[in-house]
Amino acid sequence: MISRKQKIRLVQLFLLIVCSLIVFNTYFTKKDKVSEKIISSEELEKINKDLKNDEEKDVFYNVQYSGLDLAGNRYILKSKEATTNKEVQEVVEMKNVNAVFYFKDNTTLFVASDKGTYNNKSLDMVFEKNIKANYEDSELYGERIVYLNSKKTLIISENVKISDIRGTMRAEKLLFDLEKKTLDIS
């Protein structure tokens, strides 16, 4: 019969051989056998191009700007991703933009768009692509909104549609004068 010490030594020897095989297979076998492509050459070129462009720009994520415009209205501007050019840092290009404007007359304007531009010196804002805005009981859709803070105007253009309890209206361009509270439609 095999003694207890011999059984323990056999188990230890077996474990040593198994561990040695695992280490050998892990670290010393060639990995050239795998010929899978993890990323396509087109995507690699795109990534390299983006990296070169990023050298000229600074990229920020989950950005929020807030403040008062020249008329004293409060606003909050949020973006999932924002970039600034290193030469012109006051202009911020944004993606997935949400903005809330709190006007002095206790009304609120909500704006959401795919792209946007914010000038943090003049406080001018441009919203572009798939715009949806809510003001009181009205919904507004369009492709471009330009908020000129210094002129106190809001220009909505390109496939403008307004849905309201009073009906639906389509226009090519709307010009709001925020100071005089007038609307020009074309």
Side-chain angles (χ1 to χ4, degrees):
M1 266 193 128
I2 300 176
S3 69
R4 184 168 192 260
K5 279 186 173 184
Q6 288 177 336
K7 286 180 184 178
I8 291 175
R9 289 193 189 233
L10 281 174
V11 169
Q12 287 175 340
L13 180 65
F14 175 75
L15 288 175
L16 178 67
I17 291 171
V18 168
C19 289
S20 298
L21 287 173
I22 291 173
V23 168
F24 181 77
N25 283 333
T26 303
Y27 294 107
F28 298 109
T29 57
K30 289 191 175 185
K31 304 216 186 235
D32 294 339
K33 295 176 186 176
V34 178
S35 64
E36 263 182 59
K37 282 189 176 180
I38 295 175
I39 189 168
S40 69
S41 59
E42 292 112 21
E43 290 200 25
L44 184 61
E45 287 177 27
K46 183 181 175 192
I47 290 170
N48 286 333
K49 183 180 174 185
D50 287 344
L51 287 175
K52 287 178 186 174
N53 288 340
D54 286 347
E55 292 174 2
E56 301 167 4
K57 296 181 178 182
D58 291 323
V59 179
F60 304 95
Y61 298 96
N62 297 321
V63 176
Q64 178 174 324
Y65 292 96
S66 62
L68 297 172
D69 64 9
L70 295 177
N73 299 308
R74 193 166 56 97
Y75 67 90
I76 298 173
L77 184 63
K78 295 180 182 180
S79 174
K80 297 276 184 194
E81 181 180 325
T83 58
T84 59
N85 189 321
K86 290 184 179 182
E87 294 176 13
V88 185
Q89 293 208 350
E90 64 266 7
V91 177
V92 181
E93 299 289 331
M94 299 177 289
K95 294 180 182 175
N96 297 323
V97 183
N98 289 304
V100 182
F101 297 89
Y102 301 98
F103 297 111
K104 288 181 181 178
D105 62 355
N106 292 325
T107 58
T108 305
L109 170 65
F110 298 95
V111 178
S113 69
D114 290 348
K115 292 174 58 179
T117 304
Y118 175 63
N119 186 320
N120 56 26
K121 285 193 178 179
S122 66
L123 306 179
D124 292 342
M125 300 173 205
V126 177
F127 302 93
E128 296 177 305
K129 302 227 182 198
N130 298 322
I131 296 170
K132 181 178 180 184
N134 292 318
Y135 181 74
E136 294 185 331
D137 292 331
S138 300
E139 287 186 351
L140 181 136
Y141 302 93
E143 293 298 317
R144 184 171 171 84
I145 294 178
V146 179
Y147 173 61
L148 299 172
N149 188 29
S150 57
K151 296 182 180 180
K152 297 177 186 164
T153 59
L154 186 67
I155 303 165
I156 304 160
S157 59
E158 300 178 28
N159 300 322
V160 179
K161 177 184 173 186
I162 299 175
S163 297
D164 191 291
I165 56 173
R166 296 170 281 184
T168 301
M169 179 181 73
R170 292 188 181 272
E172 191 57 38
K173 185 176 183 180
L174 301 176
L175 175 65
F176 286 102
D177 187 331
L178 298 173
E179 190 171 42
K180 296 176 184 175
K181 295 191 179 189
T182 60
L183 172 65
D184 291 330
I185 302 170
S186 62

